PDB file of all heavy atoms in Angstrom:
ATOM      1  N   PRO A   2      -1.081  -3.981   9.807  1.00 46.00           N
ATOM      2  CA  PRO A   2       0.358  -3.970  10.019  1.00 46.00           C
ATOM      3  C   PRO A   2       0.745  -4.634  11.324  1.00 46.00           C
ATOM      4  O   PRO A   2       0.047  -4.523  12.316  1.00 46.00           O
ATOM      5  CB  PRO A   2       0.715  -2.482  10.044  1.00 46.00           C
ATOM      6  CG  PRO A   2      -0.420  -1.780   9.423  1.00 46.00           C
ATOM      7  CD  PRO A   2      -1.612  -2.635   9.662  1.00 46.00           C
ATOM      8  N   THR A   3       1.871  -5.309  11.313  1.00 46.00           N
ATOM      9  CA  THR A   3       2.333  -5.996  12.504  1.00 46.00           C
ATOM     10  C   THR A   3       3.305  -5.155  13.309  1.00 46.00           C
ATOM     11  O   THR A   3       3.613  -5.484  14.427  1.00 46.00           O
ATOM     12  CB  THR A   3       3.030  -7.311  12.119  1.00 46.00           C
ATOM     13  OG1 THR A   3       4.203  -6.986  11.362  1.00 46.00           O
ATOM     14  CG2 THR A   3       2.120  -8.220  11.337  1.00 46.00           C
ATOM     15  N   GLY A   4       3.801  -4.071  12.746  1.00 60.00           N
ATOM     16  CA  GLY A   4       4.773  -3.245  13.424  1.00 60.00           C
ATOM     17  C   GLY A   4       6.187  -3.655  13.070  1.00 60.00           C
ATOM     18  O   GLY A   4       7.086  -2.839  13.064  1.00 60.00           O
ATOM     19  N   SER A   5       6.401  -4.933  12.791  1.00 81.00           N
ATOM     20  CA  SER A   5       7.737  -5.384  12.436  1.00 81.00           C
ATOM     21  C   SER A   5       7.917  -5.468  10.920  1.00 81.00           C
ATOM     22  O   SER A   5       9.030  -5.554  10.435  1.00 81.00           O
ATOM     23  CB  SER A   5       8.017  -6.751  13.065  1.00 81.00           C
ATOM     24  OG  SER A   5       7.113  -7.705  12.554  1.00 81.00           O
ATOM     25  N   GLU A   6       6.826  -5.422  10.189  1.00 89.00           N
ATOM     26  CA  GLU A   6       6.876  -5.521   8.731  1.00 89.00           C
ATOM     27  C   GLU A   6       6.889  -4.117   8.128  1.00 89.00           C
ATOM     28  O   GLU A   6       6.111  -3.258   8.545  1.00 89.00           O
ATOM     29  CB  GLU A   6       5.649  -6.296   8.253  1.00 89.00           C
ATOM     30  CG  GLU A   6       5.684  -6.651   6.798  1.00 89.00           C
ATOM     31  CD  GLU A   6       4.598  -7.663   6.459  1.00 89.00           C
ATOM     32  OE1 GLU A   6       3.460  -7.518   6.943  1.00 89.00           O
ATOM     33  OE2 GLU A   6       4.899  -8.593   5.707  1.00 89.00           O
ATOM     34  N   PRO A   7       7.757  -3.855   7.162  1.00 92.00           N
ATOM     35  CA  PRO A   7       7.785  -2.533   6.532  1.00 92.00           C
ATOM     36  C   PRO A   7       6.424  -2.192   5.917  1.00 92.00           C
ATOM     37  O   PRO A   7       5.729  -3.060   5.380  1.00 92.00           O
ATOM     38  CB  PRO A   7       8.846  -2.661   5.443  1.00 92.00           C
ATOM     39  CG  PRO A   7       9.662  -3.850   5.816  1.00 92.00           C
ATOM     40  CD  PRO A   7       8.738  -4.767   6.574  1.00 92.00           C
ATOM     41  N   LEU A   8       6.052  -0.930   6.015  1.00 93.00           N
ATOM     42  CA  LEU A   8       4.776  -0.476   5.480  1.00 93.00           C
ATOM     43  C   LEU A   8       4.649  -0.789   3.996  1.00 93.00           C
ATOM     44  O   LEU A   8       3.568  -1.137   3.520  1.00 93.00           O
ATOM     45  CB  LEU A   8       4.606   1.032   5.729  1.00 93.00           C
ATOM     46  CG  LEU A   8       3.257   1.640   5.363  1.00 93.00           C
ATOM     47  CD1 LEU A   8       2.107   0.894   6.023  1.00 93.00           C
ATOM     48  CD2 LEU A   8       3.235   3.113   5.734  1.00 93.00           C
ATOM     49  N   SER A   9       5.747  -0.731   3.260  1.00 95.00           N
ATOM     50  CA  SER A   9       5.695  -1.036   1.831  1.00 95.00           C
ATOM     51  C   SER A   9       5.225  -2.471   1.596  1.00 95.00           C
ATOM     52  O   SER A   9       4.425  -2.738   0.692  1.00 95.00           O
ATOM     53  CB  SER A   9       7.055  -0.806   1.169  1.00 95.00           C
ATOM     54  OG  SER A   9       8.061  -1.580   1.798  1.00 95.00           O
ATOM     55  N   MET A  10       5.666  -3.408   2.420  1.00 95.00           N
ATOM     56  CA  MET A  10       5.238  -4.803   2.274  1.00 95.00           C
ATOM     57  C   MET A  10       3.780  -4.970   2.681  1.00 95.00           C
ATOM     58  O   MET A  10       3.048  -5.751   2.076  1.00 95.00           O
ATOM     59  CB  MET A  10       6.125  -5.728   3.110  1.00 95.00           C
ATOM     60  CG  MET A  10       7.506  -5.926   2.531  1.00 95.00           C
ATOM     61  SD  MET A  10       7.476  -6.540   0.822  1.00 95.00           S
ATOM     62  CE  MET A  10       6.550  -8.037   0.991  1.00 95.00           C
ATOM     63  N   VAL A  11       3.351  -4.237   3.685  1.00 95.00           N
ATOM     64  CA  VAL A  11       1.953  -4.284   4.106  1.00 95.00           C
ATOM     65  C   VAL A  11       1.063  -3.808   2.964  1.00 95.00           C
ATOM     66  O   VAL A  11       0.026  -4.405   2.675  1.00 95.00           O
ATOM     67  CB  VAL A  11       1.731  -3.430   5.377  1.00 95.00           C
ATOM     68  CG1 VAL A  11       0.258  -3.361   5.729  1.00 95.00           C
ATOM     69  CG2 VAL A  11       2.532  -4.003   6.547  1.00 95.00           C
ATOM     70  N   VAL A  12       1.486  -2.750   2.269  1.00 97.00           N
ATOM     71  CA  VAL A  12       0.724  -2.224   1.133  1.00 97.00           C
ATOM     72  C   VAL A  12       0.642  -3.265   0.023  1.00 97.00           C
ATOM     73  O   VAL A  12      -0.435  -3.538  -0.517  1.00 97.00           O
ATOM     74  CB  VAL A  12       1.336  -0.907   0.612  1.00 97.00           C
ATOM     75  CG1 VAL A  12       0.752  -0.521  -0.747  1.00 97.00           C
ATOM     76  CG2 VAL A  12       1.121   0.215   1.624  1.00 97.00           C
ATOM     77  N   VAL A  13       1.759  -3.851  -0.333  1.00 97.00           N
ATOM     78  CA  VAL A  13       1.774  -4.856  -1.407  1.00 97.00           C
ATOM     79  C   VAL A  13       0.844  -6.020  -1.064  1.00 97.00           C
ATOM     80  O   VAL A  13       0.043  -6.462  -1.894  1.00 97.00           O
ATOM     81  CB  VAL A  13       3.204  -5.352  -1.687  1.00 97.00           C
ATOM     82  CG1 VAL A  13       3.204  -6.575  -2.591  1.00 97.00           C
ATOM     83  CG2 VAL A  13       4.037  -4.226  -2.302  1.00 97.00           C
ATOM     84  N   LYS A  14       0.909  -6.492   0.166  1.00 97.00           N
ATOM     85  CA  LYS A  14       0.050  -7.606   0.573  1.00 97.00           C
ATOM     86  C   LYS A  14      -1.421  -7.214   0.582  1.00 97.00           C
ATOM     87  O   LYS A  14      -2.285  -8.000   0.182  1.00 97.00           O
ATOM     88  CB  LYS A  14       0.480  -8.126   1.939  1.00 97.00           C
ATOM     89  CG  LYS A  14       1.796  -8.877   1.886  1.00 97.00           C
ATOM     90  CD  LYS A  14       2.214  -9.352   3.257  1.00 97.00           C
ATOM     91  CE  LYS A  14       3.521 -10.122   3.184  1.00 97.00           C
ATOM     92  NZ  LYS A  14       3.949 -10.596   4.514  1.00 97.00           N
ATOM     93  N   ALA A  15      -1.729  -5.992   1.019  1.00 97.00           N
ATOM     94  CA  ALA A  15      -3.120  -5.534   1.049  1.00 97.00           C
ATOM     95  C   ALA A  15      -3.688  -5.422  -0.362  1.00 97.00           C
ATOM     96  O   ALA A  15      -4.836  -5.811  -0.617  1.00 97.00           O
ATOM     97  CB  ALA A  15      -3.218  -4.192   1.772  1.00 97.00           C
ATOM     98  N   VAL A  16      -2.899  -4.897  -1.293  1.00 98.00           N
ATOM     99  CA  VAL A  16      -3.363  -4.791  -2.676  1.00 98.00           C
ATOM    100  C   VAL A  16      -3.511  -6.184  -3.284  1.00 98.00           C
ATOM    101  O   VAL A  16      -4.493  -6.468  -3.974  1.00 98.00           O
ATOM    102  CB  VAL A  16      -2.425  -3.891  -3.510  1.00 98.00           C
ATOM    103  CG1 VAL A  16      -2.776  -3.943  -4.990  1.00 98.00           C
ATOM    104  CG2 VAL A  16      -2.488  -2.448  -3.006  1.00 98.00           C
ATOM    105  N   ALA A  17      -2.571  -7.058  -3.022  1.00 98.00           N
ATOM    106  CA  ALA A  17      -2.675  -8.431  -3.533  1.00 98.00           C
ATOM    107  C   ALA A  17      -3.919  -9.126  -2.981  1.00 98.00           C
ATOM    108  O   ALA A  17      -4.627  -9.816  -3.729  1.00 98.00           O
ATOM    109  CB  ALA A  17      -1.421  -9.222  -3.178  1.00 98.00           C
ATOM    110  N   ASP A  18      -4.207  -8.914  -1.702  1.00 97.00           N
ATOM    111  CA  ASP A  18      -5.423  -9.485  -1.116  1.00 97.00           C
ATOM    112  C   ASP A  18      -6.663  -8.932  -1.801  1.00 97.00           C
ATOM    113  O   ASP A  18      -7.591  -9.674  -2.124  1.00 97.00           O
ATOM    114  CB  ASP A  18      -5.502  -9.190   0.381  1.00 97.00           C
ATOM    115  CG  ASP A  18      -4.557 -10.041   1.214  1.00 97.00           C
ATOM    116  OD1 ASP A  18      -4.016 -11.038   0.686  1.00 97.00           O
ATOM    117  OD2 ASP A  18      -4.359  -9.701   2.399  1.00 97.00           O
ATOM    118  N   ALA A  19      -6.685  -7.625  -2.035  1.00 96.00           N
ATOM    119  CA  ALA A  19      -7.837  -6.994  -2.691  1.00 96.00           C
ATOM    120  C   ALA A  19      -8.017  -7.509  -4.116  1.00 96.00           C
ATOM    121  O   ALA A  19      -9.136  -7.666  -4.603  1.00 96.00           O
ATOM    122  CB  ALA A  19      -7.681  -5.479  -2.693  1.00 96.00           C
ATOM    123  N   GLU A  20      -6.903  -7.791  -4.776  1.00 96.00           N
ATOM    124  CA  GLU A  20      -6.942  -8.291  -6.152  1.00 96.00           C
ATOM    125  C   GLU A  20      -7.067  -9.814  -6.207  1.00 96.00           C
ATOM    126  O   GLU A  20      -7.203 -10.391  -7.290  1.00 96.00           O
ATOM    127  CB  GLU A  20      -5.675  -7.859  -6.900  1.00 96.00           C
ATOM    128  CG  GLU A  20      -5.563  -6.362  -7.124  1.00 96.00           C
ATOM    129  CD  GLU A  20      -6.609  -5.860  -8.094  1.00 96.00           C
ATOM    130  OE1 GLU A  20      -6.810  -6.498  -9.150  1.00 96.00           O
ATOM    131  OE2 GLU A  20      -7.245  -4.832  -7.789  1.00 96.00           O
ATOM    132  N   ARG A  21      -6.969 -10.446  -5.043  1.00 97.00           N
ATOM    133  CA  ARG A  21      -7.048 -11.906  -4.928  1.00 97.00           C
ATOM    134  C   ARG A  21      -5.973 -12.610  -5.754  1.00 97.00           C
ATOM    135  O   ARG A  21      -6.249 -13.551  -6.496  1.00 97.00           O
ATOM    136  CB  ARG A  21      -8.437 -12.399  -5.284  1.00 97.00           C
ATOM    137  CG  ARG A  21      -9.478 -11.887  -4.339  1.00 97.00           C
ATOM    138  CD  ARG A  21     -10.830 -12.416  -4.645  1.00 97.00           C
ATOM    139  NE  ARG A  21     -11.740 -11.896  -3.631  1.00 97.00           N
ATOM    140  CZ  ARG A  21     -13.020 -11.748  -3.835  1.00 97.00           C
ATOM    141  NH1 ARG A  21     -13.551 -12.074  -4.982  1.00 97.00           N
ATOM    142  NH2 ARG A  21     -13.775 -11.272  -2.881  1.00 97.00           N
ATOM    143  N   VAL A  22      -4.746 -12.083  -5.619  1.00 97.00           N
ATOM    144  CA  VAL A  22      -3.595 -12.684  -6.289  1.00 97.00           C
ATOM    145  C   VAL A  22      -2.441 -12.754  -5.299  1.00 97.00           C
ATOM    146  O   VAL A  22      -2.446 -12.105  -4.257  1.00 97.00           O
ATOM    147  CB  VAL A  22      -3.149 -11.882  -7.545  1.00 97.00           C
ATOM    148  CG1 VAL A  22      -4.258 -11.828  -8.578  1.00 97.00           C
ATOM    149  CG2 VAL A  22      -2.671 -10.491  -7.184  1.00 97.00           C
ATOM    150  N   ASP A  23      -1.455 -13.542  -5.645  1.00 98.00           N
ATOM    151  CA  ASP A  23      -0.219 -13.589  -4.877  1.00 98.00           C
ATOM    152  C   ASP A  23       0.501 -12.253  -5.077  1.00 98.00           C
ATOM    153  O   ASP A  23       0.465 -11.700  -6.172  1.00 98.00           O
ATOM    154  CB  ASP A  23       0.645 -14.747  -5.405  1.00 98.00           C
ATOM    155  CG  ASP A  23       1.878 -14.942  -4.571  1.00 98.00           C
ATOM    156  OD1 ASP A  23       2.898 -14.250  -4.860  1.00 98.00           O
ATOM    157  OD2 ASP A  23       1.850 -15.765  -3.654  1.00 98.00           O
ATOM    158  N   PRO A  24       1.158 -11.722  -4.050  1.00 97.00           N
ATOM    159  CA  PRO A  24       1.882 -10.453  -4.226  1.00 97.00           C
ATOM    160  C   PRO A  24       2.848 -10.462  -5.411  1.00 97.00           C
ATOM    161  O   PRO A  24       3.022  -9.442  -6.077  1.00 97.00           O
ATOM    162  CB  PRO A  24       2.632 -10.285  -2.902  1.00 97.00           C
ATOM    163  CG  PRO A  24       1.773 -10.990  -1.902  1.00 97.00           C
ATOM    164  CD  PRO A  24       1.218 -12.186  -2.662  1.00 97.00           C
ATOM    165  N   LEU A  25       3.442 -11.604  -5.705  1.00 96.00           N
ATOM    166  CA  LEU A  25       4.369 -11.679  -6.832  1.00 96.00           C
ATOM    167  C   LEU A  25       3.657 -11.616  -8.183  1.00 96.00           C
ATOM    168  O   LEU A  25       4.292 -11.408  -9.212  1.00 96.00           O
ATOM    169  CB  LEU A  25       5.200 -12.958  -6.741  1.00 96.00           C
ATOM    170  CG  LEU A  25       6.128 -13.049  -5.535  1.00 96.00           C
ATOM    171  CD1 LEU A  25       6.800 -14.419  -5.489  1.00 96.00           C
ATOM    172  CD2 LEU A  25       7.146 -11.928  -5.536  1.00 96.00           C
ATOM    173  N   ASP A  26       2.344 -11.789  -8.172  1.00 97.00           N
ATOM    174  CA  ASP A  26       1.570 -11.767  -9.410  1.00 97.00           C
ATOM    175  C   ASP A  26       0.917 -10.418  -9.696  1.00 97.00           C
ATOM    176  O   ASP A  26       0.169 -10.290 -10.670  1.00 97.00           O
ATOM    177  CB  ASP A  26       0.495 -12.859  -9.390  1.00 97.00           C
ATOM    178  CG  ASP A  26       1.096 -14.254  -9.424  1.00 97.00           C
ATOM    179  OD1 ASP A  26       2.194 -14.411 -10.000  1.00 97.00           O
ATOM    180  OD2 ASP A  26       0.471 -15.176  -8.870  1.00 97.00           O
ATOM    181  N   LEU A  27       1.175  -9.407  -8.873  1.00 97.00           N
ATOM    182  CA  LEU A  27       0.640  -8.073  -9.166  1.00 97.00           C
ATOM    183  C   LEU A  27       1.242  -7.583 -10.480  1.00 97.00           C
ATOM    184  O   LEU A  27       2.405  -7.881 -10.788  1.00 97.00           O
ATOM    185  CB  LEU A  27       0.964  -7.104  -8.026  1.00 97.00           C
ATOM    186  CG  LEU A  27       0.163  -7.312  -6.747  1.00 97.00           C
ATOM    187  CD1 LEU A  27       0.736  -6.478  -5.610  1.00 97.00           C
ATOM    188  CD2 LEU A  27      -1.305  -6.993  -6.969  1.00 97.00           C
ATOM    189  N   PRO A  28       0.474  -6.826 -11.280  1.00 95.00           N
ATOM    190  CA  PRO A  28       0.937  -6.441 -12.612  1.00 95.00           C
ATOM    191  C   PRO A  28       2.099  -5.455 -12.645  1.00 95.00           C
ATOM    192  O   PRO A  28       2.762  -5.333 -13.662  1.00 95.00           O
ATOM    193  CB  PRO A  28      -0.300  -5.846 -13.280  1.00 95.00           C
ATOM    194  CG  PRO A  28      -1.194  -5.458 -12.169  1.00 95.00           C
ATOM    195  CD  PRO A  28      -0.894  -6.402 -11.031  1.00 95.00           C
TER     196      PRO A  28
END
Side-chain angles (χ1 to χ4, degrees):
T3 64
S5 63
E6 189 168 43
L8 186 54
S9 57
M10 287 304 303
V11 174
V12 167
V13 169
K14 288 179 179 180
V16 171
D18 285 347
E20 293 292 315
R21 297 183 178 155
V22 299
D23 186 274
L25 296 175
D26 293 331
L27 287 169

